[in-house]
Every structure is written in C-alpha cells, then in structure tokens.
Amino acid sequence: MPSLSKFLADDRELSEKEADWLQHLVGDWNLLSDLLRADLVLWIRSADGPRAVAHCRPATGATVYYEDPVGTVLDEDSDSEVRALFAGAEPSWEAIGIEREGREARGLLVRVRKAGRTLGVLATESPAADGEPSQSERRQQQLGRRILQMLEAGAFPIEGAPIPPRRGAPRVGDGVVEVDAAGIVQWTSPNAQSAFHRFGIEGSIVGSTLAEHSTEVLQSRSPVDESLPLVLMGRAAWRSDMQARGGTLSLRAVPLTEDGRRTGAIILVRDVTELRRRERELITKDATIREVHHRVKNNLQTVAALLRMQSRRMKTDEAREALTEAMRRVSTIALVHESLLQGSEEAVHFDEVIDRCLRLAVDAASASVHRAGTPQLAESQVEVRTEKIGRVGTIRAEEATPLALVVTELATNAVEHGLSESGGTLTIRSERTGSHLVIAIEDDGNGMGSAKPTGLGTNIALTLVQGQLGGTLTWGSRDGGGTSAVVDVYLDPIQV
C-alpha cells in the first residue's frame, strides 16, 4: 500500500506547502479521533475520483473499520457528499447514519482548508450509540467539534506547533482539562482529576487556574521550564513537564480559536512519573557502560604501550616480532571499545573500525621490511595503497571484537606476505544482505600459489571465524593476480 507521501506526491494540484499541511494534520489527528471516539479518514482529489489516503482509529472507543480504507477510490454512485464538498458545498455539521462493513455507524464530513482552499475532506465515523453518552463523553465530543470548526477555518493543525514526540506524549485517555480564554478550568475528565490528586493538588480545580494550584506544590529548588506557565494557561501549543514531590506530569496545551481569536484551550495531562524514573535509570546505566568502555580502552592501550616498550628491549628478532604482533592485537580490541564510546547502543559502526584496521595493517608494512632484512627497501619504504568497497553497517559488540581481529590479522598477512617486497593495493570488499555478511581481503601481490596459509595469525583468524562467529574462512587466488581471503558469516540481529 502506498504511503501518504506517495499519494500526496501524485496529486499535482497540491503545492509543497499544502502537502506539508496535510502531513502535519495526519501527524497530530489522534487528538481529534480520541475526543470524538471516531475513525478519521482523509480524502483527497485524484484522477479517478476522491481517494482515501490516511486513516486513524480511536484509542478511546471502538473502530468501525476492520479493513483499512486507505487506497479506496469513490465511484460515481457512492458518497456524493464528499464530491460536493470538493466542489465547494458547505458542510452540514449534522451526523448522518451510514453503514460500514455491515454495521450501523454515524458519519460527519468536514473540509480540510488552508488559506481558503479545500485541500481534502475529513470523514469522522463512529459506531451507532446504544444509549446516552456520559457527561465526560459529551464534553469531549463538544471539544472535538470545536477542533473540527478550526479545521474547517484552516486553524488546525496549529501552524508552527511541533508534532509531539510519541514517547510519553499525553493522550485524551490519559486526562483532559478544558480552560477558557483566561485560563480558568471549566471541566476536567476523571483521569485528569486523579493525575492532579496524585501530584499533590487536593480538591476540585474547576473554577480556578492550573497555575495557582501548581505554584503551591512545585519544588522551589527544581528548575521549571519557562514554557510551563503558558501551557498551564493554554496560551501556547506547547508541551512541558511539571515535577513536584517525586511525581512528574506531562502537559500539552492545544489552544482553541474562533475567527482568529483564542477562546480557550484543551490541556492534555499524563502522569509520567514511572516513565521518567526509568529514563533516568537508563541514562545512568548508559553513562556507566560508557565509562566501563572508556576504562577498558585506556587499559588496553596501556598494555599495548607496555608491549611496545618491552619489544624494544628484546635482543632477538623473533621475540621482538612476537611482542609487536601481540601489541597490534591488543590495539585492535581497544579500537572496538573506542567505537562503543561513540554510539548510544551496544553496537559498533564497523566500517569505521575497518578503516582503522587498515591503518594498523599498513603500519606493519615497514616493520615487515625490516624483519625481511632488506635495508634498501627500508630506505624507500614500501608503498601500500588501501581500498574499501561496500559497507558492513552496524553489528553487535559481541561480534565486533572477533571480526575486527580477523580483519586485522588477514590484512596484516596480506601486507607482510603479499605486498611487503613490491608494494601494491590492499582491498577490502564488504557485501551485506540482512544478517549475511561477506568480507573479502584481497591483495594484488604475487599470490600464494598452492601453499596453504599457516602461522599464528592464520590460526587465530580461522579459530575466531569458526568458533565465535560460526562462519567460514577460505583462501583463493585473486583474479588478475594476488590472494583473496573470504570471511562468510551470519550476524545476530541487533535488539532495538
């Protein structure tokens, strides 16, 4: 099913600003759906007739649609009222009886307007009521009707007001407060009254302002958001948090206007005390984990530095070479922990690690020249070019460490044994499809011939690939000369 953006892009009559206006409406219309306890369907013009491009179900009542109506096109004989509104007719504001999927329902049609132009038609459809609605339901429906009138006048969604973030955002079911133009509370839903009681505000708040009651319980030493007074009075379409006595309320104001004049506001309220407590715990844990990675990285770098100092005191080339290789492996593990410091999750952007692994491997080129006893090459230095093709993406920290060691070992082997005498190009090709990852480390040297790779680095790479990554490691000749080592593994998915 095409997205709303695709539908709006196909409508050549809508300008970019008008399409953004409809996107803004759909991003915030759950408020209207919950107040009216009704499904919302947005219709726009199309070459084949009015087309449904977005649908919202209420969180406070039953839906009339089990099948999503998005994509439906009205034929010539159905819902002539929608066509009439597009043609310039005025809405009736009287709900009419309709049938949806074999069930009785009631519907109301309103034009979605901006700068005097009809951009679409909004249908509100709710199940037929079995009895009289409660006082709370009637009040919420009245508030919903006022927002529909703002929609018809082009005043909703409120221009310049950001769409509230989903996490912790108050909804109609959490609590609703109605205030007049002076900020005096006219009505509160039972859930809103309970939220304020838990916050420490006693008694009824109807007939007074929220600012008066909130001042008495706010913590004097806690910082207060400068937007909070405007939200409590309903003067700005913002969202703010209010803390006191260990509790936290999330408040969102939606000003109500008529003929461009503010006549009151809806204030949504939600008790987010537990949510904020968990967020603080996560922040603390995240900071602790970062500190652990930081200390591990520093300790590993210290170990590498000690190994480097010790290698300089070795009298034999064999001992010096062993300590140098150990230093390189410790440095590779430190790279992974340094990468974990950069992100907010226990995952590593492995392409950055590959770049640093390549630098470690190239640094081994000059060392390999000295170990080979070729001072004439040492003077000119071996030129090793590096090339990276493809992307690996993000992988879990548990897999990043062994994979980084494997890439470093294979790249170092390619530099030392494939390119150390003549120089050349070291290439790493990465191809990832979902969880399947293939990394090829290639050099354009003389090739390995029929000999099977041996040595400590080769054994380490093979053991890590097979034992910890559960994959395969194969060697072969590269097209055009040289050697190719291919790592083929399946990665575990990252938990979001």
Side-chain angles (χ1 to χ4, degrees):
M1 181 183 298
S3 64
L4 175 61
S5 299
K6 178 64 168 60
F7 283 127
L8 297 180
D10 291 341
D11 189 344
R12 303 296 179 86
E13 296 185 10
L14 290 175
S15 66
E16 183 177 351
K17 289 186 177 180
E18 290 172 339
D20 289 342
W21 183 260
L22 294 179
Q23 289 275 19
H24 194 183
L25 168 64
V26 171
D28 201 24
W29 65 351
N30 53 48
L31 166 66
L32 182 57
S33 177
D34 291 345
L35 285 173
L36 296 173
R37 299 174 182 262
D39 288 72
L40 304 182
V41 182
L42 177 62
W43 299 87
I44 65 171
R45 298 180 180 89
S46 73
D48 301 324
R51 181 188 299 272
V53 296
H55 172 228
C56 178
R57 291 183 173 90
T60 53
T63 180
V64 299
Y65 286 99
Y66 289 103
E67 296 293 334
D68 199 324
V70 173
T72 303
V73 178
L74 295 180
D75 55 37
E76 295 288 344
D77 301 326
S78 61
D79 286 318
S80 58
E81 293 87 353
V82 175
R83 298 178 182 274
L85 289 178
F86 275 120
E90 295 289 331
S92 65
W93 296 103
E94 291 293 332
I96 59 175
I98 56 177
E99 182 177 315
R100 287 292 180 262
E101 300 180 355
R103 297 181 298 278
E104 292 185 1
R106 295 185 64 78
L108 180 67
L109 297 175
V110 180
R111 296 176 298 184
V112 180
R113 296 172 63 80
K114 176 65 175 172
R117 171 172 151 79
T118 300
L119 309 182
V121 172
L122 183 71
T124 72
E125 303 176 3
S126 56
D130 296 330
E132 288 295 322
S134 65
Q135 178 184 359
S136 179
E137 291 174 344
R138 286 198 301 270
R139 201 72 183 229
Q140 291 182 18
Q141 289 174 0
Q142 292 172 4
L143 294 174
R145 284 292 188 105
R146 293 174 69 176
I147 292 181
L148 285 178
Q149 293 170 355
M150 291 172 60
L151 187 69
E152 169 72 22
F156 187 85
I158 300 174
E159 194 166 9
I163 296 176
R166 297 287 179 245
R167 183 171 177 81
R171 297 284 297 266
V172 170
D174 299 316
V176 183
V177 178
E178 179 188 358
V179 301
D180 62 12
I184 299 175
V185 177
Q186 304 297 305
W187 170 80
T188 63
S189 70
N191 286 346
Q193 190 73 29
S194 298
F196 283 114
H197 285 169
R198 290 192 299 270
F199 191 69
I201 298 176
E202 300 178 355
S204 175
I205 59 176
V206 176
S208 57
T209 65
L210 287 176
E212 294 174 5
H213 291 282
S214 301
T215 303
E216 300 174 359
V217 296
L218 283 176
Q219 299 173 356
S220 59
R221 296 183 180 180
S222 299
V224 177
D225 191 341
E226 60 183 10
S227 65
L228 180 59
L230 296 177
V231 173
L232 292 173
M233 299 297 289
R235 294 179 179 176
W238 292 341
R239 177 183 164 192
S240 181
D241 282 358
M242 183 168 63
Q243 296 182 356
R245 298 182 183 179
T248 305
L249 295 183
S250 180
L251 303 166
R252 181 196 172 196
V254 182
L256 301 174
T257 61
E258 185 177 343
D259 297 329
R261 179 175 55 87
R262 184 170 59 84
T263 59
I266 298 171
I267 299 178
L268 303 179
V269 56
R270 178 183 179 184
D271 187 344
V272 292
T273 302
E274 183 64 18
L275 178 62
R276 294 293 180 263
R277 184 186 67 80
R278 292 181 180 179
E279 288 178 348
R280 288 193 295 270
E281 287 182 352
L282 289 175
I283 292 173
T284 302
K285 289 180 180 179
D286 180 68
T288 302
I289 291 173
R290 286 174 179 270
E291 180 63 21
V292 169
H293 287 308
H294 181 69
R295 294 190 180 188
V296 169
K297 181 207 71 170
N298 288 347
N299 291 339
L300 289 173
Q301 289 178 337
T302 301
V303 172
L306 292 174
L307 289 173
R308 184 184 299 109
M309 293 173 61
Q310 188 66 35
S311 67
R312 293 171 181 171
R313 294 176 176 269
M314 293 295 101
K315 296 181 179 181
T316 64
D317 290 341
E318 183 178 358
R320 189 180 299 110
E321 179 181 350
L323 289 176
T324 301
E325 290 180 354
M327 177 198 68
R328 187 185 66 244
R329 290 168 185 135
V330 171
S331 298
T332 301
I333 300 174
L335 288 180
V336 175
H337 286 278
E338 186 173 0
S339 298
L340 288 169
L341 285 170
Q342 311 301 323
S344 59
E345 301 176 352
E346 283 294 285
V348 176
H349 297 289
F350 199 72
D351 296 286
E352 299 175 1
V353 176
I354 289 180
D355 292 335
R356 304 185 69 173
C357 290
L358 281 175
R359 288 196 291 270
L360 282 175
V362 171
D363 290 342
S366 58
S368 67
V369 170
H370 288 289
R371 289 196 301 271
T374 52
Q376 68 277 11
L377 287 178
E379 294 178 359
S380 60
Q381 295 296 326
V382 175
E383 182 183 357
V384 178
R385 296 174 297 277
T386 59
E387 182 181 18
K388 190 175 70 171
I389 301 174
R391 291 182 56 82
V392 176
T394 304
I395 66 176
R396 296 170 63 246
E398 292 85 350
E399 296 167 323
T401 298
L403 190 57
L405 284 170
V406 170
V407 171
T408 303
E409 292 295 339
L410 296 177
T412 303
N413 284 346
V415 171
E416 291 182 351
H417 304 293
L419 303 175
S420 61
E421 294 184 359
S422 58
T425 301
L426 173 64
T427 304
I428 295 186
R429 300 179 185 272
S430 305
E431 182 178 352
R432 183 173 180 179
T433 305
S435 61
H436 186 207
L437 173 64
V438 177
I439 299 181
I441 296 90
E442 304 174 349
D443 67 76
D444 57 359
N446 297 325
M448 65 178 185
S450 59
K452 184 178 179 180
T454 58
L456 179 60
T458 298
N459 291 334
I460 290 175
L462 193 58
T463 300
L464 291 173
V465 171
Q466 295 178 346
Q468 294 195 29
L469 298 174
T472 61
L473 173 58
T474 57
W475 284 268
S477 298
R478 173 182 171 275
D479 293 339
T483 304
S484 175
V486 180
V487 179
D488 191 322
V489 296
Y490 283 87
L491 304 173
D492 291 334
I494 297 176
Q495 300 296 329
V496 179

